[in-house]
Amino acid sequence: MEWYFVLLIAIGALLVGGVAGFFIARAWFKKYLEKNPPIDERSIREMFRQMGRTPSEKQVRQVLASMKQNK
């Protein structure tokens, strides 16, 4: 077999593997986010309650804004 056929097969395998890996990783990440959603208002309220505080709506919004800003 000629060397350029081997090179073409290797490049093709890398491309196919990269595309397949992308779609597999994308599906895994979607499933992960469904099981473990990012933090939302309800979770922030619950965290405040666990600390023994009752949050105001303003406090909840401030925490959400600061988390979005830090991402």
Side-chain angles (χ1 to χ4, degrees), residues 15-63:
L15 288 175
V16 169
V19 170
F22 169 77
F23 285 109
I24 290 169
R26 185 173 152 221
W28 176 82
F29 194 66
K30 280 185 178 182
K31 186 188 289 187
Y32 176 80
L33 284 179
E34 286 175 7
K35 289 182 182 179
N36 305 309
I39 196 160
D40 59 355
E41 289 182 31
R42 188 186 58 180
S43 351
I44 292 172
R45 281 185 174 67
E46 187 60 32
M47 283 190 292
F48 269 93
R49 283 190 200 106
Q50 288 175 355
M51 292 186 293
R53 297 179 60 193
T54 304
S56 67
E57 189 64 30
K58 182 179 179 182
Q59 288 174 326
V60 172
R61 297 284 179 205
Q62 283 176 339
V63 170

mmCIF file of all heavy atoms in Angstrom, residues 15-63:
data_model
loop_
_atom_site.group_PDB
_atom_site.id
_atom_site.type_symbol
_atom_site.label_atom_id
_atom_site.label_comp_id
_atom_site.label_asym_id
_atom_site.label_seq_id
_atom_site.Cartn_x
_atom_site.Cartn_y
_atom_site.Cartn_z
ATOM 1 N N LEU A 15 -10.845 12.633 11.321
ATOM 2 C CA LEU A 15 -12.020 13.480 11.098
ATOM 3 C C LEU A 15 -13.295 12.796 11.584
ATOM 4 O O LEU A 15 -14.119 13.409 12.275
ATOM 5 C CB LEU A 15 -12.147 13.845 9.615
ATOM 6 C CG LEU A 15 -11.132 14.848 9.092
ATOM 7 C CD1 LEU A 15 -11.285 15.029 7.582
ATOM 8 C CD2 LEU A 15 -11.316 16.187 9.792
ATOM 9 N N VAL A 16 -13.468 11.530 11.234
ATOM 10 C CA VAL A 16 -14.660 10.795 11.665
ATOM 11 C C VAL A 16 -14.689 10.680 13.190
ATOM 12 O O VAL A 16 -15.732 10.879 13.820
ATOM 13 C CB VAL A 16 -14.715 9.402 10.995
ATOM 14 C CG1 VAL A 16 -15.788 8.537 11.623
ATOM 15 C CG2 VAL A 16 -14.961 9.552 9.508
ATOM 16 N N GLY A 17 -13.557 10.394 13.796
ATOM 17 C CA GLY A 17 -13.485 10.306 15.247
ATOM 18 C C GLY A 17 -13.785 11.631 15.926
ATOM 19 O O GLY A 17 -14.472 11.671 16.954
ATOM 20 N N GLY A 18 -13.313 12.711 15.359
ATOM 21 C CA GLY A 18 -13.581 14.037 15.916
ATOM 22 C C GLY A 18 -15.051 14.400 15.854
ATOM 23 O O GLY A 18 -15.631 14.891 16.825
ATOM 24 N N VAL A 19 -15.672 14.125 14.721
ATOM 25 C CA VAL A 19 -17.099 14.424 14.569
ATOM 26 C C VAL A 19 -17.929 13.541 15.494
ATOM 27 O O VAL A 19 -18.838 14.015 16.184
ATOM 28 C CB VAL A 19 -17.533 14.258 13.094
ATOM 29 C CG1 VAL A 19 -19.041 14.327 12.948
ATOM 30 C CG2 VAL A 19 -16.873 15.319 12.228
ATOM 31 N N ALA A 20 -17.618 12.256 15.534
ATOM 32 C CA ALA A 20 -18.349 11.343 16.424
ATOM 33 C C ALA A 20 -18.147 11.741 17.881
ATOM 34 O O ALA A 20 -19.106 11.755 18.669
ATOM 35 C CB ALA A 20 -17.890 9.909 16.199
ATOM 36 N N GLY A 21 -16.953 12.095 18.270
ATOM 37 C CA GLY A 21 -16.676 12.527 19.638
ATOM 38 C C GLY A 21 -17.440 13.786 20.007
ATOM 39 O O GLY A 21 -17.948 13.905 21.123
ATOM 40 N N PHE A 22 -17.548 14.704 19.071
ATOM 41 C CA PHE A 22 -18.305 15.931 19.314
ATOM 42 C C PHE A 22 -19.757 15.620 19.630
ATOM 43 O O PHE A 22 -20.320 16.120 20.603
ATOM 44 C CB PHE A 22 -18.209 16.859 18.101
ATOM 45 C CG PHE A 22 -19.158 18.019 18.162
ATOM 46 C CD1 PHE A 22 -18.889 19.103 18.977
ATOM 47 C CD2 PHE A 22 -20.329 18.009 17.417
ATOM 48 C CE1 PHE A 22 -19.775 20.171 19.043
ATOM 49 C CE2 PHE A 22 -21.217 19.066 17.482
ATOM 50 C CZ PHE A 22 -20.935 20.157 18.293
ATOM 51 N N PHE A 23 -20.394 14.785 18.807
ATOM 52 C CA PHE A 23 -21.804 14.488 19.013
ATOM 53 C C PHE A 23 -22.041 13.650 20.267
ATOM 54 O O PHE A 23 -23.033 13.833 20.975
ATOM 55 C CB PHE A 23 -22.402 13.810 17.778
ATOM 56 C CG PHE A 23 -22.634 14.781 16.650
ATOM 57 C CD1 PHE A 23 -21.843 14.744 15.521
ATOM 58 C CD2 PHE A 23 -23.618 15.738 16.736
ATOM 59 C CE1 PHE A 23 -22.044 15.648 14.489
ATOM 60 C CE2 PHE A 23 -23.832 16.650 15.719
ATOM 61 C CZ PHE A 23 -23.044 16.601 14.589
ATOM 62 N N ILE A 24 -21.133 12.757 20.573
ATOM 63 C CA ILE A 24 -21.264 11.967 21.806
ATOM 64 C C ILE A 24 -21.121 12.870 23.027
ATOM 65 O O ILE A 24 -21.918 12.784 23.969
ATOM 66 C CB ILE A 24 -20.229 10.827 21.822
ATOM 67 C CG1 ILE A 24 -20.600 9.785 20.767
ATOM 68 C CG2 ILE A 24 -20.138 10.186 23.199
ATOM 69 C CD1 ILE A 24 -19.529 8.755 20.519
ATOM 70 N N ALA A 25 -20.141 13.763 23.016
ATOM 71 C CA ALA A 25 -19.940 14.686 24.134
ATOM 72 C C ALA A 25 -21.134 15.628 24.284
ATOM 73 O O ALA A 25 -21.569 15.931 25.398
ATOM 74 C CB ALA A 25 -18.662 15.483 23.942
ATOM 75 N N ARG A 26 -21.670 16.078 23.163
ATOM 76 C CA ARG A 26 -22.832 16.967 23.199
ATOM 77 C C ARG A 26 -24.036 16.279 23.814
ATOM 78 O O ARG A 26 -24.728 16.847 24.672
ATOM 79 C CB ARG A 26 -23.145 17.423 21.782
ATOM 80 C CG ARG A 26 -24.243 18.424 21.689
ATOM 81 C CD ARG A 26 -24.366 18.937 20.266
ATOM 82 N NE ARG A 26 -25.724 19.344 20.047
ATOM 83 C CZ ARG A 26 -26.414 19.122 18.965
ATOM 84 N NH1 ARG A 26 -25.853 18.490 17.956
ATOM 85 N NH2 ARG A 26 -27.637 19.540 18.844
ATOM 86 N N ALA A 27 -24.294 15.030 23.436
ATOM 87 C CA ALA A 27 -25.417 14.277 23.995
ATOM 88 C C ALA A 27 -25.207 14.028 25.485
ATOM 89 O O ALA A 27 -26.143 14.164 26.285
ATOM 90 C CB ALA A 27 -25.580 12.959 23.251
ATOM 91 N N TRP A 28 -23.974 13.683 25.878
ATOM 92 C CA TRP A 28 -23.684 13.440 27.290
ATOM 93 C C TRP A 28 -23.901 14.709 28.107
ATOM 94 O O TRP A 28 -24.474 14.668 29.195
ATOM 95 C CB TRP A 28 -22.248 12.953 27.444
ATOM 96 C CG TRP A 28 -21.848 12.770 28.871
ATOM 97 C CD1 TRP A 28 -22.104 11.693 29.662
ATOM 98 C CD2 TRP A 28 -21.161 13.713 29.689
ATOM 99 N NE1 TRP A 28 -21.597 11.898 30.913
ATOM 100 C CE2 TRP A 28 -21.018 13.137 30.959
ATOM 101 C CE3 TRP A 28 -20.647 14.977 29.458
ATOM 102 C CZ2 TRP A 28 -20.383 13.799 31.994
ATOM 103 C CZ3 TRP A 28 -20.013 15.627 30.504
ATOM 104 C CH2 TRP A 28 -19.895 15.027 31.743
ATOM 105 N N PHE A 29 -23.458 15.853 27.594
ATOM 106 C CA PHE A 29 -23.589 17.106 28.333
ATOM 107 C C PHE A 29 -25.051 17.515 28.470
ATOM 108 O O PHE A 29 -25.463 18.023 29.515
ATOM 109 C CB PHE A 29 -22.782 18.196 27.643
ATOM 110 C CG PHE A 29 -22.578 19.409 28.483
ATOM 111 C CD1 PHE A 29 -21.823 19.344 29.638
ATOM 112 C CD2 PHE A 29 -23.141 20.608 28.128
ATOM 113 C CE1 PHE A 29 -21.633 20.463 30.428
ATOM 114 C CE2 PHE A 29 -22.966 21.738 28.906
ATOM 115 C CZ PHE A 29 -22.209 21.666 30.057
ATOM 116 N N LYS A 30 -25.854 17.305 27.428
ATOM 117 C CA LYS A 30 -27.285 17.611 27.524
ATOM 118 C C LYS A 30 -27.946 16.764 28.600
ATOM 119 O O LYS A 30 -28.742 17.263 29.397
ATOM 120 C CB LYS A 30 -27.978 17.374 26.184
ATOM 121 C CG LYS A 30 -27.795 18.488 25.198
ATOM 122 C CD LYS A 30 -28.608 18.225 23.958
ATOM 123 C CE LYS A 30 -28.494 19.338 22.965
ATOM 124 N NZ LYS A 30 -29.333 19.107 21.784
ATOM 125 N N LYS A 31 -27.608 15.479 28.624
ATOM 126 C CA LYS A 31 -28.172 14.586 29.632
ATOM 127 C C LYS A 31 -27.734 15.021 31.023
ATOM 128 O O LYS A 31 -28.525 15.023 31.968
ATOM 129 C CB LYS A 31 -27.743 13.144 29.374
ATOM 130 C CG LYS A 31 -28.404 12.140 30.303
ATOM 131 C CD LYS A 31 -27.824 10.760 30.150
ATOM 132 C CE LYS A 31 -28.221 10.136 28.840
ATOM 133 N NZ LYS A 31 -27.795 8.715 28.775
ATOM 134 N N TYR A 32 -26.472 15.412 31.164
ATOM 135 C CA TYR A 32 -25.953 15.862 32.449
ATOM 136 C C TYR A 32 -26.698 17.110 32.935
ATOM 137 O O TYR A 32 -27.053 17.217 34.099
ATOM 138 C CB TYR A 32 -24.460 16.153 32.328
ATOM 139 C CG TYR A 32 -23.852 16.728 33.580
ATOM 140 C CD1 TYR A 32 -23.499 15.907 34.640
ATOM 141 C CD2 TYR A 32 -23.655 18.094 33.704
ATOM 142 C CE1 TYR A 32 -22.949 16.429 35.797
ATOM 143 C CE2 TYR A 32 -23.116 18.629 34.853
ATOM 144 C CZ TYR A 32 -22.760 17.784 35.898
ATOM 145 O OH TYR A 32 -22.239 18.312 37.034
ATOM 146 N N LEU A 33 -26.937 18.058 32.038
ATOM 147 C CA LEU A 33 -27.640 19.280 32.428
ATOM 148 C C LEU A 33 -29.095 19.010 32.789
ATOM 149 O O LEU A 33 -29.664 19.716 33.617
ATOM 150 C CB LEU A 33 -27.551 20.328 31.319
ATOM 151 C CG LEU A 33 -26.219 21.038 31.209
ATOM 152 C CD1 LEU A 33 -26.243 22.028 30.056
ATOM 153 C CD2 LEU A 33 -25.854 21.744 32.487
ATOM 154 N N GLU A 34 -29.703 18.005 32.181
ATOM 155 C CA GLU A 34 -31.070 17.658 32.556
ATOM 156 C C GLU A 34 -31.104 17.099 33.976
ATOM 157 O O GLU A 34 -32.008 17.410 34.752
ATOM 158 C CB GLU A 34 -31.655 16.635 31.587
ATOM 159 C CG GLU A 34 -32.016 17.212 30.245
ATOM 160 C CD GLU A 34 -32.476 16.144 29.269
ATOM 161 O OE1 GLU A 34 -32.645 14.980 29.678
ATOM 162 O OE2 GLU A 34 -32.664 16.477 28.099
ATOM 163 N N LYS A 35 -30.119 16.271 34.325
ATOM 164 C CA LYS A 35 -30.077 15.693 35.672
ATOM 165 C C LYS A 35 -29.608 16.710 36.705
ATOM 166 O O LYS A 35 -30.049 16.682 37.850
ATOM 167 C CB LYS A 35 -29.143 14.483 35.703
ATOM 168 C CG LYS A 35 -29.683 13.294 34.976
ATOM 169 C CD LYS A 35 -28.727 12.123 35.104
ATOM 170 C CE LYS A 35 -29.251 10.930 34.335
ATOM 171 N NZ LYS A 35 -28.320 9.798 34.435
ATOM 172 N N ASN A 36 -28.676 17.583 36.344
ATOM 173 C CA ASN A 36 -28.099 18.572 37.262
ATOM 174 C C ASN A 36 -28.228 19.969 36.654
ATOM 175 O O ASN A 36 -27.258 20.508 36.137
ATOM 176 C CB ASN A 36 -26.617 18.268 37.510
ATOM 177 C CG ASN A 36 -26.410 16.869 37.995
ATOM 178 O OD1 ASN A 36 -27.055 16.447 38.932
ATOM 179 N ND2 ASN A 36 -25.503 16.153 37.365
ATOM 180 N N PRO A 37 -29.413 20.549 36.728
ATOM 181 C CA PRO A 37 -29.587 21.862 36.100
ATOM 182 C C PRO A 37 -28.772 22.930 36.820
ATOM 183 O O PRO A 37 -28.457 22.799 38.003
ATOM 184 C CB PRO A 37 -31.083 22.135 36.249
ATOM 185 C CG PRO A 37 -31.526 21.286 37.373
ATOM 186 C CD PRO A 37 -30.622 20.090 37.377
ATOM 187 N N PRO A 38 -28.421 23.980 36.092
ATOM 188 C CA PRO A 38 -27.701 25.072 36.732
ATOM 189 C C PRO A 38 -28.576 25.717 37.817
ATOM 190 O O PRO A 38 -29.777 25.537 37.844
ATOM 191 C CB PRO A 38 -27.404 26.046 35.599
ATOM 192 C CG PRO A 38 -28.134 25.569 34.423
ATOM 193 C CD PRO A 38 -28.658 24.206 34.693
ATOM 194 N N ILE A 39 -27.962 26.479 38.658
ATOM 195 C CA ILE A 39 -28.683 27.059 39.794
ATOM 196 C C ILE A 39 -29.742 28.045 39.309
ATOM 197 O O ILE A 39 -29.543 28.755 38.332
ATOM 198 C CB ILE A 39 -27.685 27.716 40.763
ATOM 199 C CG1 ILE A 39 -28.346 27.960 42.085
ATOM 200 C CG2 ILE A 39 -27.106 28.976 40.181
ATOM 201 C CD1 ILE A 39 -27.347 28.128 43.202
ATOM 202 N N ASP A 40 -30.886 28.053 39.996
ATOM 203 C CA ASP A 40 -31.966 28.958 39.637
ATOM 204 C C ASP A 40 -32.480 29.650 40.899
ATOM 205 O O ASP A 40 -31.930 29.484 41.984
ATOM 206 C CB ASP A 40 -33.085 28.211 38.913
ATOM 207 C CG ASP A 40 -33.676 27.081 39.740
ATOM 208 O OD1 ASP A 40 -33.155 26.806 40.832
ATOM 209 O OD2 ASP A 40 -34.663 26.479 39.292
ATOM 210 N N GLU A 41 -33.536 30.432 40.745
ATOM 211 C CA GLU A 41 -34.067 31.204 41.871
ATOM 212 C C GLU A 41 -34.496 30.303 43.021
ATOM 213 O O GLU A 41 -34.247 30.619 44.194
ATOM 214 C CB GLU A 41 -35.268 32.029 41.411
ATOM 215 C CG GLU A 41 -34.921 33.182 40.515
ATOM 216 C CD GLU A 41 -36.145 33.989 40.130
ATOM 217 O OE1 GLU A 41 -37.089 34.067 40.929
ATOM 218 O OE2 GLU A 41 -36.149 34.530 39.016
ATOM 219 N N ARG A 42 -35.124 29.204 42.703
ATOM 220 C CA ARG A 42 -35.619 28.306 43.743
ATOM 221 C C ARG A 42 -34.459 27.761 44.583
ATOM 222 O O ARG A 42 -34.543 27.691 45.810
ATOM 223 C CB ARG A 42 -36.393 27.157 43.097
ATOM 224 C CG ARG A 42 -37.105 26.278 44.096
ATOM 225 C CD ARG A 42 -37.703 25.114 43.397
ATOM 226 N NE ARG A 42 -36.584 24.426 42.727
ATOM 227 C CZ ARG A 42 -36.694 23.347 42.008
ATOM 228 N NH1 ARG A 42 -37.851 22.807 41.817
ATOM 229 N NH2 ARG A 42 -35.639 22.783 41.453
ATOM 230 N N SER A 43 -33.362 27.384 43.929
ATOM 231 C CA SER A 43 -32.217 26.862 44.682
ATOM 232 C C SER A 43 -31.586 27.949 45.547
ATOM 233 O O SER A 43 -31.126 27.666 46.651
ATOM 234 C CB SER A 43 -31.142 26.283 43.789
ATOM 235 O OG SER A 43 -31.474 26.168 42.481
ATOM 236 N N ILE A 44 -31.555 29.178 45.052
ATOM 237 C CA ILE A 44 -31.000 30.277 45.852
ATOM 238 C C ILE A 44 -31.861 30.507 47.086
ATOM 239 O O ILE A 44 -31.340 30.655 48.196
ATOM 240 C CB ILE A 44 -30.884 31.560 45.004
ATOM 241 C CG1 ILE A 44 -29.826 31.359 43.926
ATOM 242 C CG2 ILE A 44 -30.555 32.759 45.877
ATOM 243 C CD1 ILE A 44 -29.746 32.467 42.919
ATOM 244 N N ARG A 45 -33.176 30.496 46.899
ATOM 245 C CA ARG A 45 -34.073 30.659 48.045
ATOM 246 C C ARG A 45 -33.863 29.545 49.071
ATOM 247 O O ARG A 45 -33.843 29.796 50.277
ATOM 248 C CB ARG A 45 -35.520 30.668 47.582
ATOM 249 C CG ARG A 45 -35.987 31.980 46.995
ATOM 250 C CD ARG A 45 -37.482 31.918 46.674
ATOM 251 N NE ARG A 45 -38.049 33.151 46.236
ATOM 252 C CZ ARG A 45 -37.784 33.790 45.110
ATOM 253 N NH1 ARG A 45 -36.886 33.313 44.284
ATOM 254 N NH2 ARG A 45 -38.379 34.913 44.795
ATOM 255 N N GLU A 46 -33.715 28.333 48.585
ATOM 256 C CA GLU A 46 -33.510 27.199 49.486
ATOM 257 C C GLU A 46 -32.186 27.321 50.240
ATOM 258 O O GLU A 46 -32.111 27.011 51.426
ATOM 259 C CB GLU A 46 -33.559 25.892 48.698
ATOM 260 C CG GLU A 46 -33.525 24.659 49.555
ATOM 261 C CD GLU A 46 -34.683 24.565 50.529
ATOM 262 O OE1 GLU A 46 -35.795 25.043 50.202
ATOM 263 O OE2 GLU A 46 -34.455 24.039 51.634
ATOM 264 N N MET A 47 -31.144 27.791 49.569
ATOM 265 C CA MET A 47 -29.867 27.983 50.242
ATOM 266 C C MET A 47 -29.982 29.026 51.347
ATOM 267 O O MET A 47 -29.436 28.858 52.435
ATOM 268 C CB MET A 47 -28.783 28.403 49.243
ATOM 269 C CG MET A 47 -28.253 27.261 48.413
ATOM 270 S SD MET A 47 -26.800 27.688 47.460
ATOM 271 C CE MET A 47 -27.463 28.831 46.277
ATOM 272 N N PHE A 48 -30.709 30.119 51.073
ATOM 273 C CA PHE A 48 -30.923 31.130 52.097
ATOM 274 C C PHE A 48 -31.668 30.532 53.284
ATOM 275 O O PHE A 48 -31.332 30.794 54.436
ATOM 276 C CB PHE A 48 -31.716 32.311 51.526
ATOM 277 C CG PHE A 48 -30.863 33.410 50.960
ATOM 278 C CD1 PHE A 48 -30.542 33.429 49.618
ATOM 279 C CD2 PHE A 48 -30.403 34.434 51.771
ATOM 280 C CE1 PHE A 48 -29.769 34.446 49.092
ATOM 281 C CE2 PHE A 48 -29.636 35.456 51.260
ATOM 282 C CZ PHE A 48 -29.311 35.461 49.918
ATOM 283 N N ARG A 49 -32.704 29.731 53.012
ATOM 284 C CA ARG A 49 -33.472 29.111 54.097
ATOM 285 C C ARG A 49 -32.608 28.165 54.918
ATOM 286 O O ARG A 49 -32.751 28.088 56.133
ATOM 287 C CB ARG A 49 -34.669 28.361 53.528
ATOM 288 C CG ARG A 49 -35.793 29.283 53.121
ATOM 289 C CD ARG A 49 -37.072 28.520 52.780
ATOM 290 N NE ARG A 49 -37.916 29.391 51.975
ATOM 291 C CZ ARG A 49 -38.116 29.261 50.666
ATOM 292 N NH1 ARG A 49 -37.574 28.252 50.021
ATOM 293 N NH2 ARG A 49 -38.864 30.108 50.013
ATOM 294 N N GLN A 50 -31.717 27.441 54.277
ATOM 295 C CA GLN A 50 -30.829 26.537 55.007
ATOM 296 C C GLN A 50 -29.870 27.307 55.913
ATOM 297 O O GLN A 50 -29.431 26.791 56.935
ATOM 298 C CB GLN A 50 -30.042 25.659 54.034
ATOM 299 C CG GLN A 50 -30.882 24.603 53.366
ATOM 300 C CD GLN A 50 -30.113 23.823 52.308
ATOM 301 O OE1 GLN A 50 -28.963 24.133 52.009
ATOM 302 N NE2 GLN A 50 -30.756 22.823 51.747
ATOM 303 N N MET A 51 -29.562 28.540 55.520
ATOM 304 C CA MET A 51 -28.699 29.369 56.358
ATOM 305 C C MET A 51 -29.506 30.091 57.435
ATOM 306 O O MET A 51 -28.951 30.861 58.207
ATOM 307 C CB MET A 51 -27.960 30.404 55.497
ATOM 308 C CG MET A 51 -26.939 29.800 54.566
ATOM 309 S SD MET A 51 -25.953 31.042 53.694
ATOM 310 C CE MET A 51 -27.157 31.817 52.646
ATOM 311 N N GLY A 52 -30.816 29.883 57.460
ATOM 312 C CA GLY A 52 -31.648 30.500 58.480
ATOM 313 C C GLY A 52 -32.105 31.897 58.139
ATOM 314 O O GLY A 52 -32.460 32.666 59.020
ATOM 315 N N ARG A 53 -32.109 32.252 56.861
ATOM 316 C CA ARG A 53 -32.517 33.591 56.436
ATOM 317 C C ARG A 53 -33.687 33.484 55.488
ATOM 318 O O ARG A 53 -33.862 32.499 54.787
ATOM 319 C CB ARG A 53 -31.365 34.292 55.726
ATOM 320 C CG ARG A 53 -30.165 34.519 56.613
ATOM 321 C CD ARG A 53 -29.053 35.197 55.874
ATOM 322 N NE ARG A 53 -29.496 36.495 55.381
ATOM 323 C CZ ARG A 53 -28.833 37.205 54.486
ATOM 324 N NH1 ARG A 53 -27.712 36.746 53.980
ATOM 325 N NH2 ARG A 53 -29.279 38.373 54.098
ATOM 326 N N THR A 54 -34.501 34.530 55.454
ATOM 327 C CA THR A 54 -35.583 34.622 54.474
ATOM 328 C C THR A 54 -35.176 35.697 53.466
ATOM 329 O O THR A 54 -35.097 36.877 53.817
ATOM 330 C CB THR A 54 -36.905 35.030 55.147
ATOM 331 O OG1 THR A 54 -37.184 34.086 56.177
ATOM 332 C CG2 THR A 54 -38.043 35.024 54.131
ATOM 333 N N PRO A 55 -34.901 35.307 52.238
ATOM 334 C CA PRO A 55 -34.388 36.296 51.278
ATOM 335 C C PRO A 55 -35.508 37.158 50.700
ATOM 336 O O PRO A 55 -36.639 36.713 50.515
ATOM 337 C CB PRO A 55 -33.779 35.423 50.189
ATOM 338 C CG PRO A 55 -34.611 34.192 50.206
ATOM 339 C CD PRO A 55 -34.980 33.978 51.647
ATOM 340 N N SER A 56 -35.171 38.392 50.425
ATOM 341 C CA SER A 56 -36.095 39.254 49.692
ATOM 342 C C SER A 56 -35.881 38.990 48.196
ATOM 343 O O SER A 56 -34.885 38.386 47.783
ATOM 344 C CB SER A 56 -35.834 40.717 50.019
ATOM 345 O OG SER A 56 -34.567 41.098 49.516
ATOM 346 N N GLU A 57 -36.825 39.475 47.420
ATOM 347 C CA GLU A 57 -36.708 39.296 45.968
ATOM 348 C C GLU A 57 -35.454 40.008 45.441
ATOM 349 O O GLU A 57 -34.781 39.512 44.538
ATOM 350 C CB GLU A 57 -37.963 39.844 45.281
ATOM 351 C CG GLU A 57 -38.058 39.517 43.819
ATOM 352 C CD GLU A 57 -38.175 38.032 43.530
ATOM 353 O OE1 GLU A 57 -38.724 37.285 44.361
ATOM 354 O OE2 GLU A 57 -37.703 37.611 42.449
ATOM 355 N N LYS A 58 -35.144 41.134 46.028
ATOM 356 C CA LYS A 58 -33.961 41.900 45.609
ATOM 357 C C LYS A 58 -32.683 41.098 45.859
ATOM 358 O O LYS A 58 -31.783 41.069 45.013
ATOM 359 C CB LYS A 58 -33.911 43.219 46.363
ATOM 360 C CG LYS A 58 -32.760 44.106 45.963
ATOM 361 C CD LYS A 58 -32.777 45.410 46.729
ATOM 362 C CE LYS A 58 -31.594 46.271 46.328
ATOM 363 N NZ LYS A 58 -31.566 47.523 47.086
ATOM 364 N N GLN A 59 -32.596 40.429 47.003
ATOM 365 C CA GLN A 59 -31.417 39.632 47.310
ATOM 366 C C GLN A 59 -31.261 38.470 46.332
ATOM 367 O O GLN A 59 -30.157 38.162 45.882
ATOM 368 C CB GLN A 59 -31.501 39.090 48.737
ATOM 369 C CG GLN A 59 -31.299 40.134 49.803
ATOM 370 C CD GLN A 59 -31.540 39.582 51.188
ATOM 371 O OE1 GLN A 59 -32.399 38.718 51.380
ATOM 372 N NE2 GLN A 59 -30.799 40.090 52.157
ATOM 373 N N VAL A 60 -32.377 37.830 46.009
ATOM 374 C CA VAL A 60 -32.329 36.710 45.066
ATOM 375 C C VAL A 60 -31.834 37.198 43.712
ATOM 376 O O VAL A 60 -30.966 36.577 43.084
ATOM 377 C CB VAL A 60 -33.713 36.041 44.946
ATOM 378 C CG1 VAL A 60 -33.718 35.010 43.831
ATOM 379 C CG2 VAL A 60 -34.116 35.409 46.264
ATOM 380 N N ARG A 61 -32.357 38.314 43.257
ATOM 381 C CA ARG A 61 -31.928 38.877 41.968
ATOM 382 C C ARG A 61 -30.448 39.262 41.990
ATOM 383 O O ARG A 61 -29.739 39.075 41.009
ATOM 384 C CB ARG A 61 -32.773 40.105 41.614
ATOM 385 C CG ARG A 61 -34.222 39.823 41.424
ATOM 386 C CD ARG A 61 -34.471 39.163 40.117
ATOM 387 N NE ARG A 61 -35.902 38.882 39.993
ATOM 388 C CZ ARG A 61 -36.397 37.939 39.246
ATOM 389 N NH1 ARG A 61 -35.587 37.182 38.538
ATOM 390 N NH2 ARG A 61 -37.680 37.729 39.183
ATOM 391 N N GLN A 62 -29.987 39.813 43.119
ATOM 392 C CA GLN A 62 -28.577 40.200 43.218
ATOM 393 C C GLN A 62 -27.671 38.976 43.137
ATOM 394 O O GLN A 62 -26.630 39.012 42.465
ATOM 395 C CB GLN A 62 -28.329 40.934 44.534
ATOM 396 C CG GLN A 62 -28.807 42.363 44.543
ATOM 397 C CD GLN A 62 -28.623 43.018 45.897
ATOM 398 O OE1 GLN A 62 -28.508 42.340 46.919
ATOM 399 N NE2 GLN A 62 -28.613 44.357 45.910
ATOM 400 N N VAL A 63 -28.054 37.897 43.805
ATOM 401 C CA VAL A 63 -27.235 36.685 43.765
ATOM 402 C C VAL A 63 -27.215 36.106 42.354
ATOM 403 O O VAL A 63 -26.160 35.722 41.839
ATOM 404 C CB VAL A 63 -27.763 35.642 44.784
ATOM 405 C CG1 VAL A 63 -27.074 34.297 44.594
ATOM 406 C CG2 VAL A 63 -27.572 36.134 46.199
#
